[in-house]
Amino acid sequence: MRGRPFIAARIEKQINRRVGTTLRRFGWREHIVAYTGYGSEARLRVLARVIMLPKNAPALTATREEVWALRRGWRNFLAVPAVNRAVQVSVGGHVTDALTDRDGYVDIAVSRHGLNPGWHHVTISTGDFTVAEAPVLVISDEIRFGIVSDVDDTIITSYLPRLMIAAYNSFVLRESARIPVSGMATMYGSLLRQHPGSPLMYVSTGSWSTQPFLERFIARHGYPSGPMLLTNWGPTNTGWFRSGPAHKRASLAALARDFPRIKWLLVGDDGQHDPRLYSEFAVRHPDKVAGIAIRELPTVEQVLAHGGPVEMSGFPMMIPETVFEVRAPDGHTLLPLVQSILRNN
């Protein structure tokens, strides 16, 4: 059994800690990036990151659409984390303490939070009075339906995973140039109106650094708001890089555990690993799957994504007879197919 984290993780932690200490001497200050949390009536998950900013840097809370629309993607990835920083989460007068990890992230579980179902804000703070308000979605115990949505090539055209194309889309393009997938916002909005109070969870292998951009993209193009389960690129405690499929498997397993009564509509695309991952989940949890909806990439996107007109899911995997899968090129065509399988569920 490994007793210490992988060497790259230890090096990363030491570099981030020393850089942060040095920048504090030059007057840099802490800033809390609050992510969208979620939970049940019994337990809440609060997510955030603490980073360092120059003393006179403009606040990252600018809401002017034209400012963010002209921002290039590479700026989302420039951040100096505050390592091992004490953080407090206040919910209804109850305070929960935690420490940031080597990349400045915090993932805090709050029990007996006392919040009613619906959207709320909780307070996140550090010892030097840096404060942020984090949105959280409390899902009622009575809810029986929810949507899990992939992001890249499902709601936003990204041409992943080809490295150079993905890098250009993520780092060079302005935010206003990113293109939504036709009809997906309409489909999600329609399904959630038919199932009031049901959650939409965005699960992606994308970096947490892109979360603020994704929030703005979702709002700009009319997608329903929802918590995001992203990942932290870079070294792990066991290797150089994180596994995207492993992150998605873990996220789906967590949703099955945290919301045992919900049956999920799993929405993704055939450009990466979604069909196989969703099939695996359906085999393990057939009673927690309302259906599988796959956006079929056009041939040009398939070729740009991985060099040929075939999906990356590997060998096909049989799903239970009680779970239905539908496929179509966009949300407009998927919607009636999804509604059909939900009526038979």
Side-chain angles (χ1 to χ4, degrees):
M1 186 177 218
R2 185 181 295 273
R4 302 178 66 192
F6 184 63
I7 185 172
R10 302 200 304 270
I11 292 173
E12 180 188 45
K13 180 176 181 178
Q14 290 302 319
I15 291 175
N16 287 341
R17 177 181 292 174
R18 292 180 182 181
V19 170
T21 299
T22 300
L23 292 178
R24 282 191 181 89
R25 295 172 184 165
F26 286 92
W28 284 47
R29 56 187 173 84
E30 293 175 349
H31 175 82
I32 300 174
V33 182
Y35 303 135
T36 303
Y38 68 93
S40 64
E41 294 183 44
R43 185 174 179 269
L44 197 63
R45 186 180 182 187
V46 181
L47 304 161
R49 191 185 191 194
V50 184
I51 62 174
M52 305 295 297
L53 290 178
K55 183 176 181 180
N56 298 319
L60 297 181
T61 55
T63 57
R64 289 169 52 202
E65 181 73 14
E66 64 271 18
V67 173
W68 292 108
L70 295 176
R71 181 184 173 100
R72 292 194 184 273
W74 61 267
R75 297 182 63 183
N76 294 319
F77 295 86
L78 293 182
V80 178
V83 182
N84 285 355
R85 193 70 173 93
V87 174
Q88 296 79 41
V89 174
S90 178
V91 183
H94 177 72
V95 177
T96 302
D97 297 311
L99 288 175
T100 62
D101 65 13
R102 64 174 179 272
D103 290 307
Y105 293 99
V106 287
D107 186 345
I108 305 173
V110 180
S111 301
R112 299 185 297 276
H113 51 75
L115 300 178
N116 294 322
W119 286 97
H120 302 271
H121 282 83
V122 302
T123 301
I124 306 175
S125 61
T126 61
D128 64 351
F129 305 106
T130 300
V131 178
E133 296 291 318
V136 293
L137 175 63
V138 178
I139 302 167
S140 170
D141 292 342
E142 302 302 316
I143 295 298
R144 298 293 183 270
F145 173 78
I147 303 172
V148 169
S149 173
D150 179 46
V151 172
D152 293 315
D153 290 320
T154 299
I155 70 168
I156 178 173
T157 302
S158 61
Y159 302 112
L160 291 173
R162 288 295 284 270
L163 182 60
M164 296 305 296
I165 298 172
Y168 178 78
N169 286 331
S170 298
F171 295 99
V172 179
L173 281 183
R174 298 184 188 276
E175 289 195 4
S176 59
R178 305 304 297 274
I179 302 172
V181 174
S182 177
M184 297 304 289
T186 300
M187 184 180 82
Y188 291 159
S190 178
L191 292 174
L192 292 181
R193 284 192 296 273
Q194 295 168 18
H195 299 84
S198 295
L200 170 56
M201 313 290 291
Y202 296 97
V203 180
S204 171
T205 59
S207 167
W208 277 112
S209 298
T210 66
Q211 192 268 358
F213 151 68
L214 291 175
E215 291 279 7
R216 295 187 293 272
F217 178 89
I218 284 170
R220 184 183 305 123
H221 295 287
Y223 286 95
S225 297
M228 293 187 183
L229 298 177
L230 307 179
T231 188
N232 177 22
W233 292 356
T236 70
N237 287 337
T238 58
W240 287 101
F241 300 105
R242 283 167 173 76
S243 165
H247 163 69
K248 280 193 172 181
R249 286 190 186 97
S251 296
L252 291 171
L255 292 176
R257 180 193 65 234
D258 295 341
F259 305 101
R261 298 181 180 181
I262 290 182
K263 299 183 74 171
W264 299 94
L265 173 67
L266 307 176
V267 186
D269 63 86
D270 64 358
Q272 297 191 60
H273 303 281
D274 292 339
R276 183 167 185 82
L277 291 174
Y278 290 167
S279 297
E280 289 177 1
F281 182 78
V283 169
R284 294 189 180 98
H285 306 282
D287 59 328
K288 293 180 173 58
V289 180
I292 299 172
I294 300 296
R295 183 220 167 197
E296 296 176 309
L297 272 64
T299 301
V300 64
E301 290 188 36
Q302 286 280 6
V303 172
L304 288 172
H306 49 81
V310 293
E311 66 184 43
M312 291 184 64
S313 57
F315 294 105
M317 187 172 189
M318 297 298 294
I319 60 176
E321 293 182 356
T322 55
V323 176
F324 294 93
E325 178 186 289
V326 293
R327 299 192 178 207
D330 57 55
H332 297 300
T333 315
L334 272 174
L335 177 57
L337 300 176
V338 168
Q339 290 173 326
S340 177
I341 64 174
L342 294 182
R343 283 195 296 269
N344 296 324
N345 205 298

